Amino acid sequence: MDKSLYVIIMYILTHLGLIFFMYPGNIIESTDSAHWLPIIIGAAIHILLIYIYMKGLNFFPGEDIIAIYLRAGRAFTILFLLPIGLYFLVADIITVRAYSEVITIVFLSKTPLWAVMALLLFTASFLSLRGLEAIFRTGFLLAFLFLPIIIFTFFVSFQNVDWHYIYPIWNHQFSFLSNSSYLKSFFAIGGGFLFLGFVQPTFSYKRKKVLLAALCIIPCFFISVYIPILTFGQATASKFLFPYVMSIDAINLNWLMFDRITMFFLMSLITFIMLFISLVLWKMVRIVHTFAPFIKPHFLVIGLSVLIYVVCLFIPNWSDIDFLFQWNTFLRFYVITTVPVSVLCLGILRSRKEDFSGIA
């Protein structure tokens, strides 16, 4: 049964949660002009990786990525599944710690950080314990509740823009390609699409619909970066930790009954991040259970959640989060590039063997 709608909604929600916080700051720090260049390069890589990934998965109908690597042999399982599991662990640690601090700054300034982290991780762990269908159904409900708020925010965010800040629109230097800030931006570009290989056959989907959703997400990359630049200018926007959030906070709507639209926008994104954490935790449990099948999945969820929480407690400030981001760059690029390519290569090899066996 085709469940593309659930897959598309989860893809959109998780990427929205990743794009509008740290991604704008990373892009703005990476270059001082022609920001569309790093954005379009990252978006093109994103689309290409998704296409390669789903092209490879098409050779294995009804199988998830774990079954594909197990079929390929123990060497492939260790070479790819272990780095994926480690990457998911670090991604959840970074996400829980970073977004808990955002919640503390914006919503709960008097609440201890450890309590916010515990609440965020408890909710995500509960969803992960309930299974993949519970995560996707929750995503469907959250999309119905919060996507209208997100779309409304997109439109009103143009209130304070000054189009003169768009210049210069060309940069002859491509030094941003080696800039550490730009490399960190790939957390939003490559952090969310790997779930497409884990949800089969529970949630089957059509490749064209997912690619269409990926194209629909591209304007969000541009909006998240250019709204702060067009509102404050490059010099000022580069000083903010969360540039898009600051530009939303500057919106003044007299006809709106609520004083700050920022509160509702951030609340929406935090719920999307909660989904992302629960989905990554569920994928991590699947990988660990493959190597340790004697441990029940619900014990793995609890154990990994405790591990993530303890590590988060030992991250004292934002500079350490930034260091962890940089340290994870190599692993991130290894996972998001080698996994799609390896799945495609295994699929091509499988199809050729089947063709040869048919001829024989």
Side-chain angles (χ1 to χ4, degrees), residues 100-263:
S100 294
E101 186 152 334
V102 173
I103 295 172
T104 303
I105 294 172
V106 179
F107 299 110
L108 306 172
S109 58
K110 296 182 180 180
T111 304
L113 186 61
W114 63 265
V116 177
M117 290 191 297
L119 179 61
L120 184 62
L121 196 54
F122 174 80
T123 308
S125 301
F126 176 77
L127 277 177
S128 185
L129 280 170
R130 302 299 296 176
L132 185 63
E133 290 196 6
I135 297 173
F136 274 65
R137 293 184 187 279
T138 303
F140 188 85
L141 176 62
L142 293 179
F144 178 77
L145 293 174
F146 294 120
L147 274 184
I149 297 176
I150 298 294
I151 296 172
F152 172 75
T153 305
F154 288 166
F155 282 106
V156 300
S157 63
F158 287 88
Q159 182 192 56
N160 300 317
V161 301
D162 182 352
W163 292 101
H164 292 92
Y165 286 132
I166 201 171
Y167 298 103
I169 60 174
W170 179 251
N171 187 355
H172 296 283
Q173 297 180 351
F174 287 79
S175 58
F176 62 83
L177 291 173
S178 58
N179 190 291
S180 61
S181 295
Y182 183 60
L183 296 179
K184 286 187 291 184
S185 72
F186 278 80
F187 181 74
I189 292 171
F193 72 88
L194 290 174
F195 82 94
L196 296 171
F198 285 84
V199 298
Q200 295 185 138
T202 306
F203 284 85
S204 58
Y205 55 88
K206 293 183 179 179
R207 184 173 55 179
K208 291 182 179 179
K209 293 182 179 180
V210 176
L211 285 174
L212 182 61
L215 292 173
C216 293
I217 278 292
I218 291 178
C220 297
F221 289 102
F222 285 90
I223 290 173
S224 69
V225 174
Y226 270 100
I227 290 298
I229 293 174
L230 295 176
T231 302
F232 303 109
Q234 164 67 25
T236 304
S238 61
K239 304 296 183 182
F240 297 137
L241 185 60
F242 306 113
Y244 188 80
V245 175
M246 294 301 296
S247 62
I248 295 299
D249 204 38
I251 296 173
N252 182 23
L253 298 175
N254 294 327
W255 50 269
L256 195 65
M257 63 181 294
F258 304 105
D259 292 335
R260 295 180 64 196
I261 191 175
T262 315
M263 198 74 68

Side-chain angles (χ1 to χ4, degrees), residues 15 18 46 49 87 185-194 332 335-336:
H15 280 84
L18 293 173
H46 179 73
L49 290 175
Y87 172 67
S185 72
F186 278 80
F187 181 74
I189 292 171
F193 72 88
L194 290 174
R332 183 183 310 122
V335 170
I336 68 175

Side-chain angles (χ1 to χ4, degrees), residues 248-305:
I248 295 299
D249 204 38
I251 296 173
N252 182 23
L253 298 175
N254 294 327
W255 50 269
L256 195 65
M257 63 181 294
F258 304 105
D259 292 335
R260 295 180 64 196
I261 191 175
T262 315
M263 198 74 68
F264 297 93
F265 177 74
L266 292 180
M267 191 184 303
S268 303
L269 294 186
I270 292 299
T271 59
F272 300 163
I273 283 297
M274 179 193 66
L275 283 177
F276 173 77
I277 296 171
S278 63
L279 186 60
V280 172
L281 184 59
W282 175 84
K283 290 184 290 184
M284 205 181 346
V285 168
R286 291 284 316 280
I287 293 173
V288 175
H289 187 65
T290 301
F291 291 99
F294 53 88
I295 306 177
K296 294 183 178 180
H298 59 274
F299 287 131
L300 288 175
V301 172
I302 297 172
L304 288 171
S305 299

